[in-house]
């Protein structure tokens, strides 16, 4: 981003503001500032979600076609919408597919508690809401 001879302070305010907007989660420590990307938060949430009993996987919803697609393990964050507000609190919207024959209410409560714990432990930020959207039911072979 910087050419030879340019210092970090020479960065225009507009570019600096855009860099800060792309990194939402912010922590301050005695050594400096820590910025956590929304993709990192989504990856943590997706990884902890698929570890829960009764979850087949994360779902990607195509608004154009109205189709639900089971995501592979390398793209779990696409089934999660992350929002960090001005108070530095995380809101998650998770689209999941559950296993056939499980209690959906119990699975979702377990999912919420597990994801909340893991995200707060890994990031140090508070989670204010987790909304779960069950997009489908699948049989496990």
């Amino acid at each position: 981003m910087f050419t030879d001879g340019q210092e970090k302070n020479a960065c225009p305010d507009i570019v600096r503001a855009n860099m800060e907007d792309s990194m939402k989660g912010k922590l301050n420590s005695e050594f400096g500032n820590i910025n956590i990307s929304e993709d990192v938060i989504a990856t943590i949430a997706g990884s902890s979600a698929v570890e829960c009993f009764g979850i087949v996987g994360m779902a990607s919803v195509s608004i154009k076609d109205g189709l639900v697609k089971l995501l592979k393990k390398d793209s779990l964050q696409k089934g999660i919408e992350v929002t960090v507000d001005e108070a530095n609190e995380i809101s998650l919207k998770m689209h999941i597919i559950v296993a056939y024959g499980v209690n959906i209410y119990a699975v979702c409560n377990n999912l919420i508690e597990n994801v909340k714990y893991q995200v707060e432990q890994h990031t140090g930020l508070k989670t204010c809401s987790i909304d779960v959207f069950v997009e489908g039911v699948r049989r496990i072979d």
Side-chain angles (χ1 to χ4, degrees):
M1 175 158 236
F2 300 105
T3 59
D4 292 345
Q6 283 185 325
E7 295 181 359
K8 186 175 181 179
N9 294 336
C11 182
D13 290 334
I14 295 170
V15 174
R16 185 175 296 127
N18 289 337
M19 288 172 24
E20 290 175 3
D21 287 342
S22 66
M23 299 289 229
K24 294 283 187 162
K26 296 177 180 92
L27 294 171
N28 297 321
S29 72
E30 60 189 67
F31 302 112
N33 296 328
I34 301 167
N35 295 316
I36 302 172
S37 169
E38 290 178 346
D39 287 340
V40 171
I41 297 169
T43 301
I44 293 167
S47 296
S48 59
V50 294
E51 293 175 358
C52 294
F53 173 78
I55 304 292
V56 175
M58 302 305 296
S60 172
V61 181
S62 172
I63 296 172
K64 180 175 76 171
D65 301 327
L67 298 174
V68 175
K69 178 180 157 188
L70 181 65
L71 295 171
K72 297 180 180 176
K73 291 194 181 206
D74 57 342
S75 59
L76 295 175
Q77 69 269 15
K78 291 181 182 174
I80 302 171
E81 298 172 40
V82 178
T83 307
V84 181
D85 63 10
E86 295 83 25
N88 228 14
E89 294 181 343
I90 300 171
S91 297
L92 299 170
K93 292 182 181 178
M94 305 182 74
H95 300 270
I96 62 168
I97 298 175
V98 297
Y100 177 78
V102 299
N103 183 332
I104 295 174
Y105 179 77
V107 168
C108 289
N109 277 337
N110 182 36
L111 170 73
I112 290 169
E113 289 188 24
N114 189 32
V115 168
K116 179 179 169 113
Y117 175 77
Q118 293 294 334
V119 168
E120 288 180 355
Q121 284 295 110
H122 284 87
T123 64
L125 300 172
K126 185 177 184 276
T127 305
C128 64
S129 72
I130 299 175
D131 298 324
V132 179
F133 301 92
V134 179
E135 300 292 348
V137 177
R138 296 240 173 127
R139 288 187 78 164
I140 300 175
D141 296 329

